[in-house]
Each structure stands twice: as structure tokens, then as C-alpha cells.
Amino acid sequence: MSKSELSGTDTGTTAGYDLHIFVCTNKREASTRPSCGNMNSEALRAQLKTWLGQRVKNDPKAQALRVRVNASGCLDYCEQGVAVAIYPLGELQLHVQMNVPDSIEAIKSKIEAEVQRLILSRQSDSE
Ligand code: FES
């Protein structure tokens, strides 16, 4: 089923997001296996949500983009730092660590590149 088939045409709304980020916030309490929730991933999710919201809000070319940052359950990459999935890229960003600024900047760069791609795509669609 394509995205257009999934749109909420019955209600006059558009379903889905142009850019959807999933941050694993799964937290294991009694396990030797690491978990993203124990690596401060909820703070990462909150930080990305605020940053992306401001990024889109402050750019007239990006304001129409529908973006969302969600918490997700375990993505099964638990031993590799916090796991973040970026859609529609379908890309998984691993080794994200709140105490390593370069890893936060790396994921923001990936997201920013996708925002730019979406803006250009919208512009070419309207021409
Ligand atoms: S707990 Fe996050 S990938 Fe498993």
C-alpha cells in the first residue's frame, strides 16, 4: 500500500509524516543486556524533538513538513549505543551517546540532510 493510499482522504486530512524519527527508549531493569533507556535515550528523544520542532518552525521553506520524533521499543541493537531510526530514509543510526556531542551532531546532520531533501522535493513538485 502506498503512502497516498494511506492518506486520510475520508476525513480530508493527510495521514503520516514526511519525516519520522524513532528513538529507542526501551529500559531493562533486571538484565545484563544493555538498553537504550539506561543510556539516557529519553533525554535524546526530548532533545531531538525540541530541536527538530524549532528547525521546522523557524524555516518558512520547512514549515509545511510534517515531522515527528517518537519513542520506540527495542530495535534489537541494544549493544550498540542508543538506536535511532530515520524514516523515510529507512536508516538506523547507532552509537548515539548523550555524553558524546559528536554523536548528537552526527544524527542531527542526517536529519538536517533529510529536511533539505524534502524541501527540494517539495519545490520541484510545485514547479
Ligand atoms: S533497547 Fe534499544 S535497541 Fe534494544
Side-chain angles (χ1 to χ4, degrees), residues 21 23 41-59 67-71 98 104 108 111-112 115:
I21 315 297
V23 180
S41 62
E42 182 54 47
L44 174 65
R45 187 200 63 79
Q47 183 182 127
L48 290 178
K49 181 177 179 177
T50 300
W51 171 78
L52 184 57
Q54 290 298 313
R55 167 64 186 89
V56 169
K57 180 180 173 187
N58 293 330
D59 182 349
V67 302
R68 185 147 188 171
V69 179
N70 274 116
M98 283 301 287
I104 306 294
K108 286 181 177 176
I111 295 170
E112 174 61 25
V115 167

Side-chain angles (χ1 to χ4, degrees), residues 42-108:
E42 182 54 47
L44 174 65
R45 187 200 63 79
Q47 183 182 127
L48 290 178
K49 181 177 179 177
T50 300
W51 171 78
L52 184 57
Q54 290 298 313
R55 167 64 186 89
V56 169
K57 180 180 173 187
N58 293 330
D59 182 349
K61 293 180 290 188
Q63 287 173 350
L65 295 178
R66 293 171 46 87
V67 302
R68 185 147 188 171
V69 179
N70 274 116
S72 89
C74 178
L75 299 169
D76 202 25
Y77 290 91
C78 319
E79 288 77 16
Q80 300 185 51
V82 175
V84 180
I86 304 170
Y87 289 93
L89 275 179
E91 193 168 298
L92 200 58
Q93 186 81 20
L94 303 172
H95 307 289
V96 184
Q97 298 175 44
M98 283 301 287
N99 60 350
V100 180
D102 283 354
S103 74
I104 306 294
E105 290 310 309
I107 193 160
K108 286 181 177 176

